[in-house]
Amino acid sequence: MKIYIDFDDVICETAKYFTKIAKELFDIDVPYREVQFFNLQKAFDLSEEQYDELMKAGHIPENLLDYEETPGASKVINKWVDEGHEVSVVTGRPFDSYEPSRRWLDEHHLDRILIYFVDKYGRETFKQDHTYNLTLDELYQMHFDFAIEDSSAAFEHVQHFKNCRVAVYDRPWNQKAKFPDERFVRCMNWKEIDDIFEKIVNKETI
């Protein structure tokens, strides 16, 4: 099986860290459970300048390296790799955050998985050509059997993978999200994700 895994808020607790940064920078106190929008500018009610400052702070290498792992992520992912599945992290992080992102994966015992950077949300201002960088068209030409995402804004991307089942990691900002079709299923944690994946592998009804 070929597996697509989003990075932020799927294998690490990015939003929780950003709530701390918003408090430190702007004295804006929005508890994690009240982050109702994937768009953090809207979630924290920030100006364009504040949002830019927040994003820069959140992607400083030492901050990226400090993000906590989502419980159970590396254990399940390594089990899949041990079973012979091909696992790739497909992230919408800024392209210039490759080095600390790769290092974070390595330090969390995920050194055997690939990582690709794709401009999922139209944030990049110029094209970069690296081995780890994909355009959306290049991503859509790939094949995945199973995907894990948390953002409804990314649903359109994984829909391009024919017959791909999608686990939606339960987060406050996707509580009201409407799933595109029956391929999408909500999961509360990595144990539930693994259980669903095992059913797919064994061709059981989900």
Side-chain angles (χ1 to χ4, degrees), residues 2-192:
K2 292 189 176 182
I3 305 168
Y4 161 126
I5 305 178
D6 181 45
F7 205 141
D8 295 299
D9 296 301
V10 171
I11 59 177
C12 69
E13 298 297 316
T14 306
K16 290 179 180 178
Y17 202 96
F18 270 92
T19 62
K20 297 177 184 178
I21 298 175
K23 176 65 175 177
E24 292 170 0
L25 291 179
F26 315 117
D27 198 30
I28 293 174
D29 190 7
V30 178
Y32 164 73
R33 276 291 159 194
E34 295 180 16
V35 179
Q36 295 300 307
F37 305 101
F38 176 76
N39 182 333
L40 294 181
Q41 181 177 4
K42 188 175 181 180
F44 297 138
D45 192 22
L46 302 175
S47 67
E48 288 287 347
E49 293 75 15
Q50 287 176 320
Y51 178 65
D52 289 343
E53 187 176 353
L54 178 79
M55 295 302 285
K56 287 178 182 177
H59 292 94
I60 293 172
E62 52 264 37
N63 286 341
L64 287 173
L65 289 167
D66 205 29
Y67 291 177
E68 293 183 4
E69 179 184 330
T70 301
S74 62
K75 180 180 178 181
V76 171
I77 293 169
N78 277 312
K79 179 175 78 73
W80 291 344
V81 174
D82 290 341
E83 292 171 350
H85 303 292
E86 183 180 318
V87 181
S88 300
V89 168
V90 182
T91 181
R93 286 183 174 186
F95 298 159
D96 59 7
S97 64
Y98 170 80
E99 294 295 340
S101 299
R102 179 72 264 176
R103 180 178 167 188
W104 189 97
L105 292 171
D106 295 348
E107 290 180 353
H108 287 79
H109 312 292
L110 295 170
D111 51 294
R112 295 182 294 169
I113 64 176
L114 299 172
I115 181 170
Y116 294 107
F117 285 69
V118 183
D119 187 13
K120 295 182 184 179
Y121 311 111
R123 295 171 179 162
E124 297 294 334
T125 56
F126 59 93
K127 187 179 185 300
Q128 295 191 39
D129 188 17
H130 303 288
T131 56
Y132 56 80
N133 170 226
L134 297 175
T135 65
L136 282 173
D137 285 341
E138 289 170 334
L139 175 66
Y140 297 162
Q141 291 171 19
M142 299 176 73
H143 171 77
F144 292 99
D145 303 291
F146 187 59
I148 310 165
E149 267 287 0
D150 70 292
S151 168
S152 57
F155 289 174
E156 64 175 303
H157 304 316
V158 293
Q159 279 185 281
H160 282 81
F161 310 133
K162 188 176 180 181
N163 300 321
C164 179
R165 299 303 301 265
V166 183
V168 178
Y169 201 110
D170 183 76
R171 296 294 185 179
W173 49 89
N174 63 36
Q175 294 295 306
K176 298 179 181 179
K178 182 178 180 181
F179 295 168
D181 54 50
E182 69 282 352
R183 292 182 296 160
F184 291 70
V185 60
R186 183 177 298 277
C187 295
M188 305 303 294
N189 51 50
W190 271 93
K191 183 182 183 304
E192 287 191 10

